[in-house]
Amino acid sequence: MSGELEAALLGELALSPGFVSGEKLARALRVSRATVSRLARRLVEEGYPVEAHPKLGYRLVASDDLSAAARYVGALKASLSFTLCYLESCSSTQEVAAALAEAGAGEGTVVVAEEQTAGRGRLGRSWVSPRGGLWFTVLLRPESLRLSHLLSLTAGVAVARSLRELFGVDAGLKWPNDVLVEGRKVAGILVEGSVEADRIRYALLGVGINVNNDLPPELRGSASSLKEFTGRPLPRVPLLLKVLKELDRAYSSLRSGAVESVLGEWRRLSVTLGKRVKVLSSDGVFEGVALDIDEWGGLLVESRDGGQRVFYAGDIVHLR
Ligand code: BTN
């Protein structure tokens, strides 16, 4: 049985507020009702809170209530053992996760908050994080510097795949890891770490997804919330579970040395490769065509005169 059908069932359930009959699901997925029931069982085995009712059909429970997500996160079948710490409000989930990491919290600790009062973005920017969005940090302890470098691309892949499969939106990746839908940013990723000599003590993988929140007017041109694309509020619990599952899968691949498969997924989801870009890096501005990413996730750009450069940090602007 393919994981694609399982993902499709999860997607159907995530978009339906109540029970959906087995018959309707079977029609939507073009499979038999027996297959729907088998797929639903598989989702339950993987830790998704799918409830089956003999008459009413199937539904995903506790759809938008993050305060109730801890038990589902704890039950996820994954290589990392995820533990959720839920907060109504905090300065930044990165800060809380750093304190937990310093106190010895284990890999897979996830801090989620309904709102952040001092959300952090990449390159020292702030990240607007009102209620309705999904703001969380995952504590990881990658064994190598390269792994920690690749975390941000990996997380981009996990988020884009989740949005595509769960909500059917056409999510793509702008280097290094902005998640865009129709050219507007719906999610961002921030990786911060604590390094000692040449050892990574821990990495904090922060994910911010504009789900049901409104954006301030000054951001509306370049950013958007998912609810605008789907026309209705979306459930954040299945999204959190799905992103954690996808992250776990990609992180396991990285750890087992299958870096190319993760890079390949990033390339397939990329909306940057092949485009003319302007790179704004610490040592100036560089224009050219984005050709590829290298094995550390750096962006290879070729200028008009044929000169090539690889960038490991910075911002880019898509020119066409
Ligand atoms: C970006 O600039 O694109 C990265 C944004 C990352 C935002 C998330 S929200 C959860 C975590 N806590 C923070 O303060 N930042 C990250």
Side-chain angles (χ1 to χ4, degrees):
M1 183 177 60
S2 84
E4 265 169 44
L5 280 177
E6 241 170 78
L9 176 58
L10 191 61
E12 290 292 329
L13 295 175
L15 287 171
S16 316
F19 278 100
V20 192
S21 73
E23 197 183 324
K24 196 167 165 204
L25 290 168
R27 258 201 319 273
L29 267 63
R30 299 205 179 107
V31 296
S32 67
R33 288 180 62 173
T35 303
V36 170
S37 128
R38 206 153 34 105
L39 292 168
R41 268 201 309 277
R42 284 278 291 263
L43 287 175
V44 171
E45 278 161 22
E46 284 174 30
Y48 287 104
V50 173
E51 192 186 328
H53 184 280
K55 292 218 173 68
L56 302 174
Y58 304 87
R59 71 166 177 174
L60 262 176
V61 295
S63 293
D64 195 51
D65 183 3
L66 287 177
S67 72
R71 55 188 263 240
Y72 305 121
V73 168
L76 270 184
K77 211 167 165 194
S79 310
L80 289 164
S81 59
F82 290 119
T83 317
L84 190 73
C85 165
Y86 167 82
L87 299 167
E88 266 287 324
S89 177
C90 68
S91 51
S92 157
T93 55
Q94 297 288 100
E95 236 171 75
V96 177
L100 292 176
E102 293 294 345
E107 190 173 51
T109 300
V110 181
V111 180
V112 68
E114 298 284 358
E115 66 167 0
Q116 301 182 114
T117 51
R120 304 211 282 252
R122 284 177 58 237
L123 308 170
R125 291 188 280 243
S126 63
W127 181 261
V128 179
S129 330
R131 288 173 180 273
L134 184 57
W135 327 119
F136 66 98
T137 298
V138 185
L139 165 62
L140 294 170
R141 300 189 185 274
E143 297 104 23
S144 71
L145 207 58
R146 180 170 177 222
L147 215 72
S148 76
H149 259 260
L150 290 169
L151 274 184
S152 73
L153 294 193
T154 305
V157 168
V159 172
R161 279 178 59 101
S162 301
L163 298 183
R164 297 176 78 89
E165 289 188 6
L166 217 48
F167 303 140
V169 293
D170 190 13
L173 293 171
K174 175 177 173 230
W175 186 87
N177 52 23
D178 286 353
V179 183
L180 307 188
V181 177
E182 293 177 17
R184 288 155 88 199
K185 179 161 168 173
V186 295
I189 285 143
L190 171 70
V191 180
E192 296 175 307
S194 166
V195 182
E196 185 181 69
D198 54 358
R199 190 179 72 92
I200 318 281
R201 292 177 60 232
Y202 57 81
L204 303 172
L205 173 55
V207 178
I209 310 178
N210 295 316
V211 185
N212 302 319
N213 53 300
D214 291 320
L215 291 161
E218 65 274 16
L219 290 181
R220 282 188 209 141
S222 59
S224 191
S225 269
L226 288 169
K227 67 168 182 185
E228 287 177 29
F229 297 102
T230 55
R232 60 180 142 154
L234 294 167
R236 291 170 303 163
V237 175
L239 178 57
L240 175 64
L241 297 177
K242 177 77 175 156
V243 174
L244 293 177
K245 277 288 265 196
E246 290 287 337
L247 198 60
D248 181 71
R249 191 186 60 92
Y251 188 57
S252 298
S253 301
L254 281 189
R255 278 182 146 168
S256 65
V259 173
E260 258 315 308
S261 82
V262 176
L263 294 179
E265 286 191 69
W266 190 93
R267 289 185 183 103
R268 274 192 295 283
L269 290 164
S270 164
V271 291
T272 292
L273 297 184
K275 281 215 171 76
R276 272 202 83 70
V277 296
K278 180 150 62 167
V279 187
L280 316 165
S281 78
S282 51
D283 60 335
V285 179
F286 187 84
E287 256 188 56
V289 176
L291 294 183
D292 200 2
I293 44 167
D294 75 3
E295 73 280 10
W296 283 73
L299 184 70
L300 175 66
V301 181
E302 184 175 80
S303 65
R304 254 185 231 286
D305 62 12
Q308 295 190 348
R309 276 191 61 179
V310 183
F311 296 90
Y312 292 99
D315 244 352
I316 63 165
V317 179
H318 287 163
L319 297 176
R320 67 164 163 77

